[in-house]
Amino acid sequence: MPVLGPHRRSGRRGRALMSLTNRPRRIVLVRHGESQGNVDDSIYETVPDHALTLTPKGVEQATEAGRRLRAYLEQEPLTLYASPYVRTRQTVEALGLGVPIEDVRIEPRLREQDWANFQDPADIAEQKRLRNEYGHFYYRFTHGESGSDVYDRVSTFLESLWRYIEAEPTDSGGHPMSDQSLVIVTHGLTMRLFCMRWFHWSVEFFESLENPVNGGHVVLTRQPDLKYQLETPFVQWNQDYVPTDRERSSWR
């Protein structure tokens, strides 16, 4: 039987160590720019949620977000994921991060929470009222999803993401994954649930947080111990909930 040297690992432990050391430098979550649905609820009666486009203001927001991100990321190699919705793909184009459109990984599990098909604004308004009473995480829209449903599919996306990182130590250009940033263009609720799953936040903490603004972003940065922290925490609208020490450790 061969003897392993001090710097070698075999089996599951070795694969786990490799996936840890191969973690990307940072993960950037970006919310799409303002869409038609953000300014006119009645449009859901005739246009499916997935087909809504950015408004002119939304294009400006995404363009400005791209300017900030390009300055922040300083030309480092990127892997870019996006929700398949029209408004998120338009946001990707407006960001102008230099990733060819054919290399953008379109991921349906990063889509917005499903509320219904063509929607009756009065019915949705009533369901939103009920959701506020019942809880955003657990309330399921009629013919749609609950926040917990989105949490589940975000969880399966993360499992796939780590399998990809473990299997692909470099990108197509030969850049080590550990030198890269992952940019994920998605939706506000999905961003909060992504971080809830990543940092193992409680439902109560999740419920107390605001979505980022349209065109806003949050950054998870790799630390020396290979764990991640938020550079800036989410805005907490409900100050009555006091985060636990573990929850605070996700940004401190």
Side-chain angles (χ1 to χ4, degrees):
M1 179 180 296
V3 178
L4 296 176
H7 301 296
R8 297 185 63 190
R9 299 288 187 274
S10 67
R12 184 177 301 173
R13 183 180 178 188
R15 290 193 297 273
L17 179 64
M18 181 182 71
S19 64
L20 284 173
T21 58
N22 201 41
R23 287 184 168 188
R25 180 177 298 173
R26 59 179 65 85
I27 300 172
V28 183
L29 304 174
V30 184
R31 187 182 178 193
H32 61 82
E34 179 186 81
S35 75
Q36 295 168 303
N38 294 131
V39 296
D40 179 13
D41 285 344
S42 68
I43 198 168
Y44 291 103
E45 296 179 82
T46 55
V47 181
D49 191 12
H50 63 83
L52 297 177
T53 63
L54 295 182
T55 64
K57 179 180 178 181
V59 174
E60 292 177 5
Q61 290 171 331
T63 301
E64 174 59 22
R67 185 193 66 77
R68 294 194 304 269
L69 287 174
R70 288 193 301 274
Y72 172 76
L73 297 171
E74 297 183 338
Q75 305 300 314
E76 67 186 45
L78 303 175
T79 296
L80 206 162
Y81 286 84
S83 156
Y85 281 24
V86 170
R87 58 185 178 273
T88 44
R89 289 188 280 121
Q90 288 179 327
T91 298
V92 167
E93 294 178 8
L95 288 172
L97 297 180
V99 178
I101 196 66
E102 61 271 17
D103 290 340
V104 176
R105 297 168 180 267
I106 302 299
E107 175 52 71
R109 288 173 292 185
L110 295 172
R111 69 188 185 275
E112 176 64 287
Q113 179 182 11
D114 291 334
W115 289 6
N117 294 315
F118 292 111
Q119 300 166 19
D120 176 353
D123 176 61
I124 293 297
E126 173 61 13
Q127 291 199 59
K128 286 182 177 179
R129 186 190 67 78
L130 292 172
R131 181 183 62 171
N132 289 338
E133 296 179 359
Y134 194 87
H136 285 220
F137 187 76
Y138 295 113
Y139 183 84
R140 177 173 286 109
F141 284 92
T142 305
H143 309 300
E145 289 182 306
S146 65
S148 62
D149 293 325
V150 182
Y151 177 93
D152 289 344
R153 57 175 160 85
V154 167
S155 297
T156 68
F157 166 72
L158 285 174
E159 292 169 2
S160 299
L161 179 64
W162 290 120
R163 285 197 297 271
Y164 163 71
I165 289 172
E166 183 175 315
E168 301 290 342
T170 62
D171 66 6
S172 57
H175 304 104
M177 187 65 67
S178 57
D179 290 342
Q180 293 189 50
S181 286
L182 297 182
V183 178
I184 299 174
V185 182
T186 183
H187 308 266
L189 181 78
T190 309
M191 292 169 67
R192 283 194 289 144
L193 289 166
F194 182 104
C195 291
M196 177 186 174
R197 176 64 180 84
W198 188 283
F199 294 114
H200 304 287
W201 290 341
S202 66
V203 172
E204 291 77 16
F205 185 47
F206 160 79
E207 295 272 11
S208 77
L209 302 177
E210 293 183 9
N211 284 343
V213 298
N214 290 113
H217 69 273
V218 296
V219 182
L220 290 71
T221 302
R222 189 185 67 214
Q223 304 299 307
D225 63 1
L226 301 179
K227 296 181 180 179
Y228 287 80
Q229 284 188 325
L230 287 167
E231 289 193 357
T232 304
F234 285 78
V235 175
Q236 190 176 3
W237 69 268
N238 182 7
Q239 297 293 322
D240 291 338
Y241 178 80
V242 179
T244 65
D245 289 342
R246 180 175 55 78
E247 287 165 340
R248 289 186 185 278
S249 71
S250 60
W251 69 88
R252 291 183 180 175

